[in-house]
């Protein structure tokens, strides 16, 4: 019989650390973008979706950048869904990711199972980790829920066996979603029903990609003869599949630099993708047709890709590639979800055994046919469609007792709208301290003045909450939150006015000064930005208390202040900020890099070189960032040491920032 049980997983890892208390006002440093010339050459429907509602910030979500790289044993809560053939291990505290999928008769792990929990700066809001199957919803990039809890509860499945329901409220687009996992008795396949709902009165941009980590030695097969190649030079071009530029790209290690291949699966073809080892065994994923896109991401065999593999996993344990399935042809696109409607589909994951001579042969058509035929025998297309229809009848079933609790933000939105979402209850019992002041604003029209024992809480930015802030009594905290919401809406001039009003009511308030400093920098007033950053940091040092939140605020503001001061060639003022940091903070890898930049600005090149020679690791190094290499190139003409080489594209370093 199929069972669901709670368990724990103990592996080497790090703590996530506190959220960054500074609102994420700056534009996204998103690597998956193309220029207008490239967009003009795309098929019309793809070009339209590439330009449809791209995300400009991660508000109202906060950044997660407080983790390190000194690993010790960590214990993660798991939910295990199991029948006599498969065992799926889910991480409900980390986005509902499937950590492991084991085929019990053969003992094979079907996924790349990361042996460590090591966050890195790949999610839209920072912390992300590799391995398993992740559910990406929101916007181009890894979801902000990568390292966030989701709700979980059992639900009767289509065949009466227990189904594991995961659900949450995705805050970038304000869209609730659910992921239902079930294993029919005796089945070799894990069924996954997914639903995204738009409960609002206007359309919303939707985005979904299921990312599946597999060993990079496997061959990736898909029913397509063409793909769209995206490289980190921000180019998107159509290439033949599998051989392009003289190499068979169905083998992830045949590339040099990291790259995406978005496959053109012809209309009418069954949607599937598989990753098979040298013996013809591996994982296959298929779905109903709404999930049209299929993709391969590879790190490649170059120095930068190898460095990232070691960075994200454990050296010596093998690397991974990702096979993916999404709503659109590419991850650069967003799809319109009409008002008061939904997208739903079924995915299926399971083992596949093929003739390795055929599935690894040079005849691409024959290799594809071998996989397609084996899949059809193991799981006919009609069986998937019938399972989808059976699941739809269960999609609204109310879940049983909750076995994991997510955030309270969905409950707050339900309280605001009064709406009901059958099958995914956002109970008032999940409301917590972060939602409490907003609930008071909703019920009483006033945002409460906090006790001053912590930095300001997160800001809600959608139109409804912004309207409530605009009519609430003016005080420094309300003006602060209102300015953040106005900035998010694109009304930057009004945001600045709100922050200035708040500052007049509370001179020296560091959160308002920081917002004004960032606004100055974004508008090109660099000297004034530097002044305000220095003033904001002084005010923070005078006001701060004890605890993790204050430390996180100090770290985040110091980074921004030093960067702003160095941008206008004021190393003495930057050194003053540096000197006021606790020594334990100054020893973090990020601040060792900052020290090298500071020493360079002061003209002490040998001391800056000594920082590199001593070694450091920037735990929250951003995907695609080149600051480590750029700073090195200012120190010396010597080759960049492999430990610092994270290049994701060909060419030398150029001033691009982090």
């Amino acid at each position: 019989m199929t069972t669901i049980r709670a368990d724990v997983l103990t592996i080497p890892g790090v703590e996530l650390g506190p959220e960054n208390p500074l609102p994420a006002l700056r534009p996204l440093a998103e690597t998956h973008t193309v220029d207008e010339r490239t967009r003009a050459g795309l098929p019309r429907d793809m070009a339209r979706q590439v330009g449809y509602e791209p995300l400009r910030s991660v508000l109202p979500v906060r950044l997660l950048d407080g983790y390190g790289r000194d690993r010790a044993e960590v214990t993660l809560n798991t939910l295990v869904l199991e029948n006599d053939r498969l065992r799926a291990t889910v991480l409900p505290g980390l986005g509902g990711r499937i950590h492991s999928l084991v085929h019990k008769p053969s003992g094979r792990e079907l996924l790349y199972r990361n042996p460590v929990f090591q966050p890195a700066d790949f999610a839209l809001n920072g912390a992300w980790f590799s391995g398993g199957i992740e559910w990406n919803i929101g916007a181009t990039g890894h979801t902000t829920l990568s390292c966030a809890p989701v709700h979980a509860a059992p639900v009767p499945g289509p065949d009466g066996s227990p189904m594991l329901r995961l659900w949450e409220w995705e805050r970038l687009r304000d869209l609730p979603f659910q992921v239902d996992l079930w294993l029919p008795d005796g089945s070799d396949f894990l069924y996954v029903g997914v639903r995204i709902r738009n409960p609002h009165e206007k359309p919303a941009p939707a985005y979904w990609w299921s990312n599946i980590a597999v060993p990079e030695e496997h061959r990736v097969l898909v029913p397509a003869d063409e793909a769209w190649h995206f490289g980190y030079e921000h180019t998107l071009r159509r290439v033949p599949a599998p051989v392009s530029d003289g190499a068979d790209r169905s083998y992830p290690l045949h590339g040099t630099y990291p790259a995406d291949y978005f496959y053109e699966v012809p209309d009418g073809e069954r949607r599937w993708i598989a990753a098979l080892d040298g013996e013809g065994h591996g994982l296959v994923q298929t779905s109903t047709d709404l999930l049209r896109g299929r993709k391969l991401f590879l790190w490649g065999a170059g120095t930068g890709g190898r460095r990232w593999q070691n960075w994200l996993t454990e050296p010596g344990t093998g690397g991974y590639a990702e096979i993916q399935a999404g709503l659109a042809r590419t991850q650069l696109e967003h799809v319109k979800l009409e008002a008061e409607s939904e997208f739903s589909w079924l995915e299926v994951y399971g083992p596949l055994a093929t003739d390795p001579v055929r599935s690894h042969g040079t005849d691409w058509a024959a290799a594809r046919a071998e996989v397609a035929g084996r899949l059809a025998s193991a799981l006919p297309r009609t069986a998937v469609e019938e399972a989808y229809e059976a699941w739809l009848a269960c999609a609204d079933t109310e879940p049983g007792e909750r076995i994991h609790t997510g955030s309270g933000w969905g409950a707050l939105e339900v309280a605001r709208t009064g709406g009901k979402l059958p099958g995914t209850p956002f109970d008032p019992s999940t409301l917590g301290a972060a939602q409490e002041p907003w609930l008071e604003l909703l019920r009483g029209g006033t945002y409460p003045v906090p006790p001053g024992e912590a930095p300001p809480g997160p800001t809600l930015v959608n139109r409804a909450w912004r309207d409530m802030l605009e009519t609430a009594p003016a005080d420094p905290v309300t003006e602060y939150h209102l300015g953040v919401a106005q900035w998010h809406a694109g009304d930057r001039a009004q945001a600045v006015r709100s922050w200035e009003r708040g500052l007049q009511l509370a001179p020296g308030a560091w959160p308002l000064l920081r917002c004004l400093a960032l606004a100055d920098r974004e508008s090109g007033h660099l000297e004034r930005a530097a002044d305000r950053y220095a003033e904001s940091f002084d005010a923070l040092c005078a006001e701060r208390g004890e605890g993790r939140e204050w430390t996180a605020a100090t770290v985040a503001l110091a980074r921004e202040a030093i960067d702003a001061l160095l941008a206008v060639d004021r190393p003495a003022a930057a050194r003053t900020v540096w000197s006021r940091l606790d020594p334990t903070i100054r020893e973090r890898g990020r601040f060792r890099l900052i020290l090298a930049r500071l020493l360079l600005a002061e003209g002490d090149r040998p001391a800056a070189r000594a920082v590199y020679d001593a070694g450091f690791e920037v735990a929250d190094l951003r995907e695609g960032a080149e600051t480590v290499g750029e700073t090195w190139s200012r120190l010396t003409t010597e080759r960049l040491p492999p430990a610092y080489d994270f290049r994701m594209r060909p060419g030398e370093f150029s001033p691009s920032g982090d």
Side-chain angles (χ1 to χ4, degrees):
M1 293 181 62
T2 302
T3 60
I4 299 173
R5 71 178 190 275
D7 206 339
V8 295
L9 172 69
T10 301
I11 57 175
V14 299
E15 299 296 330
L16 277 173
E19 293 180 338
N20 185 330
L22 307 188
L25 300 175
R26 298 191 68 181
L28 283 175
E30 176 50 52
T31 56
H32 292 81
T33 57
V34 294
D35 58 28
E36 286 300 320
R37 178 179 298 182
T38 300
R39 183 179 160 193
L42 300 176
R44 185 172 300 177
D45 62 331
M46 186 189 294
R48 182 176 61 252
Q49 293 185 161
V50 167
Y52 176 52
E53 296 288 341
L55 197 67
R56 292 178 173 83
S57 83
V58 298
L59 288 169
V61 178
R62 286 180 152 185
L63 301 180
L64 279 172
D65 56 11
Y67 49 86
R69 290 190 59 80
D70 294 328
R71 292 198 284 265
E73 282 198 346
V74 296
T75 299
L76 306 174
N77 291 327
T78 67
L79 297 172
V80 180
L81 177 68
E82 187 170 13
N83 67 1
D84 59 332
R85 310 289 294 177
L86 284 177
R87 180 171 63 250
T89 302
V90 178
L91 301 174
L94 296 168
R97 183 176 307 204
I98 298 178
H99 172 70
S100 168
L101 184 62
V102 174
H103 183 235
K104 294 166 68 174
S106 66
R108 294 179 184 271
E109 171 62 67
L110 301 180
L111 307 173
Y112 172 80
R113 180 172 56 192
N114 198 333
V116 301
F117 174 63
Q118 178 57 65
D121 192 2
F122 277 67
L124 288 165
N125 64 327
W128 172 88
F129 63 105
S130 62
I133 305 173
E134 59 175 310
W135 318 113
N136 281 289
I137 181 174
T140 298
H142 292 283
T143 177
T144 61
L145 294 166
S146 293
C147 291
V150 297
H151 303 285
V155 182
D159 61 351
S161 62
M163 180 166 66
L164 177 61
R165 175 161 299 165
L166 311 170
W167 73 98
E168 247 303 346
W169 191 281
E170 200 288 311
R171 301 177 65 209
L172 298 181
R173 306 300 197 180
D174 272 332
L175 299 178
F177 71 98
Q178 71 190 73
V179 177
D180 288 352
L181 312 174
W182 81 98
L183 288 169
D185 190 31
S187 174
D188 276 331
F189 291 93
L190 172 68
Y191 291 78
V192 182
V194 183
R195 178 165 64 165
I196 306 172
R197 287 191 273 193
N198 179 9
H200 310 297
E201 296 178 351
K202 62 179 183 178
Y207 175 92
W208 183 279
W209 283 83
S210 301
N211 289 12
I212 309 134
V214 295
E216 65 180 351
E217 297 83 8
H218 288 193
R219 188 184 199 187
V220 174
L221 297 105
V222 64
D225 291 313
E226 291 184 310
W228 291 90
H229 170 272
F230 179 83
Y232 284 79
E233 312 87 20
H234 302 281
T235 58
L236 186 66
R237 59 189 176 93
R238 194 191 296 257
V239 298
V243 178
S244 64
D245 298 325
D248 186 342
R249 308 297 177 172
S250 65
Y251 293 93
L253 286 170
H254 286 186
T256 301
Y257 291 96
D260 298 325
Y261 290 89
F262 300 103
Y263 294 103
E264 280 279 7
V265 179
D267 291 341
E269 283 279 350
R270 185 177 187 181
R271 262 62 180 166
W272 58 263
I273 190 166
L276 305 176
D277 65 17
E279 297 178 348
H281 295 279
L283 172 80
V284 66
Q285 186 269 3
T286 187
S287 71
T288 48
D289 289 349
L290 183 68
L291 203 66
R292 65 172 297 184
R294 292 299 184 275
K295 173 195 163 183
L296 163 65
F297 168 77
L298 55 87
W299 282 109
T303 304
R306 294 301 88 201
R307 185 70 183 103
W308 276 116
Q309 288 276 27
N310 289 337
W311 189 258
L312 296 168
T313 61
E314 181 71 14
T317 60
Y320 72 96
E322 288 178 356
I323 57 175
Q324 305 181 14
L327 280 175
R329 276 185 288 190
T330 75
Q331 287 176 322
L332 285 68
E333 303 168 68
H334 300 94
V335 181
K336 181 181 287 188
L337 178 54
E338 297 294 345
E340 299 177 339
S341 62
E342 64 183 48
F343 287 145
S344 63
W345 64 90
L346 184 74
E347 303 181 46
V348 185
Y349 298 81
L352 195 69
T354 66
D355 178 349
V357 174
R358 290 176 60 84
S359 59
H360 282 271
T362 57
D363 186 333
W364 179 242
R368 286 168 33 196
E370 168 68 9
V371 175
R374 299 281 183 163
L375 174 60
S377 297
L379 186 69
R381 188 175 186 178
T382 54
V384 174
E385 293 165 349
E386 290 168 1
Y388 170 63
E389 294 298 329
W391 168 71
L392 283 178
C394 305
D396 282 347
T397 302
E398 292 301 320
E401 182 180 358
R402 189 167 293 146
I403 53 179
H404 196 269
T405 302
S407 78
W409 296 112
L412 182 65
E413 289 301 318
V414 169
R416 180 182 65 80
T417 63
K420 293 185 178 180
L421 295 164
T424 54
F426 294 96
D427 300 330
S429 62
T430 62
L431 292 165
Q435 294 82 41
E436 189 58 38
W438 298 97
L439 196 62
E440 190 168 331
L441 174 65
L442 175 66
R443 292 172 175 171
T446 300
Y447 189 93
V449 177
E453 298 171 355
T459 303
L460 298 183
V461 296
N462 72 30
R463 180 59 185 268
W465 293 108
R466 189 169 79 248
D467 288 346
M468 282 184 262
L469 288 168
E470 287 176 346
T471 57
D475 60 60
V477 176
T478 301
E479 295 290 1
Y480 162 80
H481 287 298
L482 175 58
V484 173
Q486 291 165 333
W487 182 274
H488 175 264
D491 192 351
R492 295 191 169 188
Q494 189 58 56
V496 168
R497 285 193 286 271
S498 294
W499 291 326
E500 289 175 340
R501 282 197 305 269
L503 197 59
Q504 291 170 1
L505 296 170
W510 68 268
L512 293 158
L513 284 166
R514 180 264 177 177
C515 290
L516 290 167
L518 188 145
D520 283 334
R521 189 162 190 192
E522 289 295 303
S523 61
H525 296 95
L526 302 186
E527 289 286 353
R528 191 169 66 195
D531 289 339
R532 278 178 161 161
Y533 265 120
E535 187 180 354
S536 176
F537 191 74
D538 285 343
L540 170 62
C541 290
E543 297 175 28
R544 68 185 175 196
E546 300 294 330
R548 286 165 28 118
E549 285 186 313
W550 283 111
T551 299
T554 302
V555 168
L557 186 54
R559 284 176 54 174
E560 292 186 11
I562 292 173
D563 190 55
L565 290 162
L566 291 180
V568 293
D569 196 23
R570 289 162 61 177
R575 173 67 71 173
T576 298
V577 173
W578 166 271
S579 66
R580 299 177 73 174
L581 294 171
D582 187 277
T584 59
I585 294 173
R586 296 202 297 258
E587 287 303 311
R588 295 182 185 183
R590 169 64 64 179
F591 282 90
R592 298 297 292 169
L593 174 60
I594 289 173
L595 176 61
R597 295 176 56 219
L598 178 56
L599 289 165
L600 267 173
E602 293 171 336
D604 194 345
R605 190 177 300 270
R609 171 62 185 265
V611 173
Y612 273 80
D613 291 343
F616 61 86
E617 291 185 324
V618 182
D620 61 329
L621 188 68
R622 183 67 180 168
E623 174 191 12
E626 298 179 344
T627 303
V628 175
E630 289 164 358
T631 304
W632 172 267
S633 68
R634 294 171 58 198
L635 287 169
T636 178
T637 58
E638 295 176 30
R639 185 173 182 177
L640 182 68
Y644 300 122
D645 191 348
F646 292 89
R647 278 177 288 192
M648 302 182 76
R649 61 189 177 97
E652 297 301 318
F653 291 106
S654 59
S656 64
D658 183 351

